[in-house]
Amino acid sequence: MNDNTKKWLFLLILSVIWGSSFILIKKSLLGLTPYQLGALRTIITGIFLFSVGLKNLKSIKKNEWKWVVISGFLGSFIPAFLFAIAETEIDSAITSILNSLVPLNAILLGFAIFKIGFTKRQFLGVVIGFIGTSILILKGADLNPDQNYLYAGFVIISTVMYALNVNIIKKHLQNVKPLSIATGNYVAIIIPAIVVLMFTDFFSSETLEHPDFKMSILYVVILSFFGTALAKVLFNTLVQISTPVFASSVTYLMPVVALAWGLLDGETFGPLQIVASVIILLGVYLANKKKA
């Protein structure tokens, strides 16, 4: 299979996996706090990756470890908590659509920090994307007055971190095996995750005896294996065989999957929010155009 075919296949698989992650986060929060969820997700993912990838760590050069560590915190550790916190207040479908800002932020940060140029059409895409985001957040706040849409800021911060991460992988870790990057990420972040978990009352009777505890753990395990461990290896591969912006375009299809799960779970999604979502995806589409 050539790289062109492989990159589209990986894009589709990642869209389904990550599009389903948002509803898994929502269900995990029924019996866990956001901090417990973020910590457990990191720890369980680390265990999965260590079981298959520890032998690959020797391929990481000494001067590359700095970027592997930074990548771990920006691309995995901090967003795991921020997304969980966000979904305590806003719907999973909205969260997934806001996540579509990753390619737009990849362009802006690629230019500002990594000196990667962009075209007029890509700039227009960024502007359109942020207009759509504003409409989506404002209308969501109107439709769901019981939800605090300020928590959308946690998702937006995460998209900036993801955008930084894809540029770091492309610029500094291009020649490192994807499994090595993913495993190295969790070598750096699993201890902080254990420390966080110890301060969340996870081992208290209140948590362990919660009626939704067992199902929440099951959802976290599924999320950790598919949505984080497997997906990270696939995504790192995708970045290396394509471009940061193409890899970030997984957010094109993710909202479709996430929206379907959200509607099945009874989430409210109005006509203007659909328009706003289309505007965001139009912005992402234009941002991926190479020619001005």
Side-chain angles (χ1 to χ4, degrees):
M1 186 185 299
N2 60 44
D3 281 353
N4 190 56
T5 303
K6 190 183 297 184
K7 73 179 184 181
W8 285 104
L9 178 61
F10 282 10
L11 188 70
L12 180 61
I13 294 172
L14 281 168
S15 298
V16 174
I17 292 175
W18 274 339
S20 301
S21 294
F22 300 96
I23 194 68
L24 288 171
I25 292 173
K26 179 180 179 180
K27 294 300 183 182
S28 299
L29 288 169
L30 294 176
L32 298 169
T33 69
Y35 296 100
Q36 290 169 347
L37 171 54
L40 281 172
R41 182 179 179 183
T42 302
I43 294 166
I44 296 171
T45 300
I47 293 171
F48 282 136
L49 288 172
F50 294 164
S51 67
V52 297
L54 280 178
K55 61 183 178 181
N56 292 288
L57 293 179
K58 60 184 178 182
S59 66
I60 303 176
K61 298 177 182 177
K62 187 175 181 180
N63 65 320
E64 293 169 333
W65 268 105
K66 172 180 70 175
W67 299 110
V68 170
V69 171
I70 294 173
S71 170
F73 279 94
L74 292 179
S76 298
F77 185 78
I78 301 175
F81 293 97
L82 295 184
F83 273 101
I85 294 170
E87 287 201 35
T88 61
E89 287 290 339
I90 59 178
D91 288 336
S92 61
I94 298 297
T95 303
S96 73
I97 293 163
L98 290 173
N99 193 56
S100 298
L101 293 173
V102 173
L104 307 184
N105 287 329
I107 290 171
L108 291 175
L109 294 171
F111 173 75
I113 299 176
F114 300 96
K115 309 305 179 184
I116 300 173
F118 60 84
T119 67
K120 294 178 181 178
R121 184 177 294 170
Q122 288 177 321
F123 179 74
L124 177 63
V126 171
V127 174
I128 291 174
F130 281 111
I131 291 173
T133 301
S134 301
I135 296 173
L136 183 70
I137 293 174
L138 292 174
K139 188 57 182 177
D142 289 339
L143 282 175
N144 302 286
D146 58 323
Q147 297 180 13
N148 186 352
Y149 266 70
L150 290 176
Y151 277 62
F154 290 111
V155 182
I156 294 173
I157 292 171
S158 295
T159 66
V160 172
M161 292 184 176
Y162 283 154
L164 283 168
N165 183 47
V166 295
N167 279 292
I168 285 171
I169 292 172
K170 190 64 180 181
K171 186 175 178 65
H172 299 289
L173 301 172
Q174 173 67 20
N175 298 316
V176 181
K177 293 179 180 179
L179 181 56
S180 299
I181 297 173
T183 306
N185 288 161
Y186 281 81
V187 167
I189 67 177
I190 194 168
I191 297 301
I194 292 172
V195 172
V196 171
L197 187 65
M198 289 174 63
F199 285 92
T200 63
D201 293 326
F202 175 74
F203 300 101
S204 67
S205 58
E206 182 181 357
T207 299
L208 299 177
E209 295 173 8
H210 192 285
D212 294 309
F213 176 75
K214 290 182 180 179
M215 285 306 299
S216 292
I217 293 296
L218 176 61
Y219 289 130
V220 175
V221 172
I222 295 172
L223 176 65
S224 300
F225 179 72
F226 289 101
T228 311
L230 177 61
K232 274 193 71 68
V233 176
L234 291 176
F235 183 71
N236 291 342
T237 304
L238 184 58
V239 172
Q240 292 180 338
I241 64 177
S242 60
T243 66
V245 175
F246 181 89
S248 300
S249 297
V250 65
T251 51
Y252 279 139
L253 302 176
M254 281 168 53
V256 178
V257 177
L259 178 58
W261 281 116
L263 292 175
L264 287 172
D265 200 50
E267 294 182 1
T268 304
F269 203 78
L272 189 55
Q273 286 178 296
I274 294 176
V275 173
S277 302
V278 172
I279 291 173
I280 291 173
L281 295 178
L282 173 62
V284 177
Y285 171 77
L286 290 174
N288 276 273
K289 287 290 187 179
K290 293 184 178 180
K291 296 181 180 180

